[in-house]
Amino acid sequence: IVKAVSLKEHTKTIFQTVRNTIKNKNINCQMLYCGIIAGITSLFIWNFQPMLKSSGAPVLFFGILYFINHIIRAICSLNAKKITDKVNFNKFGMFVFISYLISFLVIIADNFYINYKICFISLIFVCLAIGMGLIYNIITTSLIHKFAKNETRATMSSVNNMLIGLCSGLFLIIYKNLISYISISNTFIVFTICFVFVFYFPYRISKNR
């Protein structure tokens, strides 16, 4: 017979799990970094259509780019373990950071030099960076399952998903508010400067044994 758990006890367990997750040095940085990367990913994808439109690209290019993006994400998902078996996970976070930083610079350049062919090709690179970010997300989830206890594993995964949703929503809200006052290119410059400070997380993770 399964013993019924009161709402008070269940709520207490959730808060304890969240607290323990935040304090867990094995996964706290990875989870926060994963949330930030997922939030930036949402920002990139949200800008695909506006960027192609402003560059004068035919509508067909938007469909092709989304198809390429999904293909890359599928390939990266299927080969996540193979890639991280060859590349140290702690070092892989640094690679993701560099690829996302370059993506920011590429998007800024596209806003200054409008050419739909160059824009389309550069956004394919952004799709590749997004694929690397997805791999990091998958491996982070595996890491959570490794370090979490059986009774708290689901809650810890929920905390990870909560961080991803929080960062995605927060970044898009900030973006929408910024473009009301400054240009899109300047908005991305602001995000790029802020993203540079995110370097702390992959650096700290890379030092984790």
Side-chain angles (χ1 to χ4, degrees):
I1 300 175
V2 179
K3 183 181 178 181
V5 179
S6 67
L7 178 61
K8 180 180 179 181
E9 291 176 341
H10 187 63
T11 304
K12 183 179 178 181
T13 300
I14 292 175
F15 277 103
Q16 286 178 341
T17 303
V18 172
R19 184 188 63 186
N20 293 336
T21 301
I22 294 172
K23 291 182 176 180
N24 191 329
K25 293 181 180 180
N26 291 309
I27 55 175
N28 54 7
C29 270
Q30 283 89 339
M31 288 177 64
L32 185 53
Y33 182 51
C34 182
I36 293 172
I37 290 299
I40 297 299
T41 297
S42 298
L43 184 64
F44 286 161
I45 294 175
W46 195 88
N47 274 276
F48 280 178
Q49 186 176 20
M51 287 185 64
L52 286 172
K53 183 179 180 181
S54 63
S55 69
V59 177
L60 177 65
F61 276 62
F62 177 69
I64 294 173
L65 183 65
Y66 257 68
F67 176 74
I68 292 173
N69 181 47
H70 284 293
I71 288 295
I72 291 174
R73 288 164 69 94
I75 292 172
C76 288
S77 298
L78 291 171
N79 293 280
K81 189 177 185 304
K82 292 180 181 178
I83 293 173
T84 50
D85 280 345
K86 296 179 180 179
V87 182
N88 182 278
F89 172 68
N90 291 348
K91 305 293 183 183
F92 187 71
M94 190 69 73
F95 177 76
V96 173
F97 173 82
I98 293 171
S99 64
Y100 270 62
L101 182 60
I102 294 174
S103 296
F104 268 116
L105 299 176
V106 162
I107 290 174
I108 292 171
D110 282 338
N111 280 287
F112 281 106
Y113 304 101
I114 299 175
N115 181 303
Y116 79 86
K117 292 180 181 179
I118 294 176
C119 179
F120 180 77
I121 294 171
S122 61
L123 287 179
I124 291 177
F125 173 83
V126 177
C127 290
L128 291 171
I130 289 173
M132 296 299 102
L134 179 61
I135 291 174
Y136 193 85
N137 189 327
I138 293 171
I139 304 303
T140 299
T141 302
S142 299
L143 197 66
I144 292 171
H145 290 174
K146 177 181 178 181
F147 285 103
K149 296 179 180 178
N150 290 335
E151 61 272 17
T152 60
R153 185 172 291 120
T155 307
M156 289 182 74
S157 294
S158 297
V159 171
N160 187 49
N161 291 331
M162 178 189 69
L163 284 171
I164 291 173
L166 177 64
C167 289
S168 298
L170 182 62
F171 293 168
L172 288 175
I173 289 172
I174 293 172
Y175 175 82
K176 290 288 287 183
N177 280 279
L178 281 176
I179 61 174
S180 299
Y181 300 97
I182 59 178
S183 65
I184 293 177
S185 56
N186 286 336
T187 299
F188 268 98
I189 289 173
V190 171
F191 267 95
T192 303
I193 293 171
C194 293
F195 185 71
V196 169
F197 292 97
V198 176
F199 174 78
Y200 166 79
F201 293 104
Y203 174 77
R204 180 174 171 180
I205 293 168
S206 66
K207 298 297 181 182
N208 186 2
R209 295 183 182 276

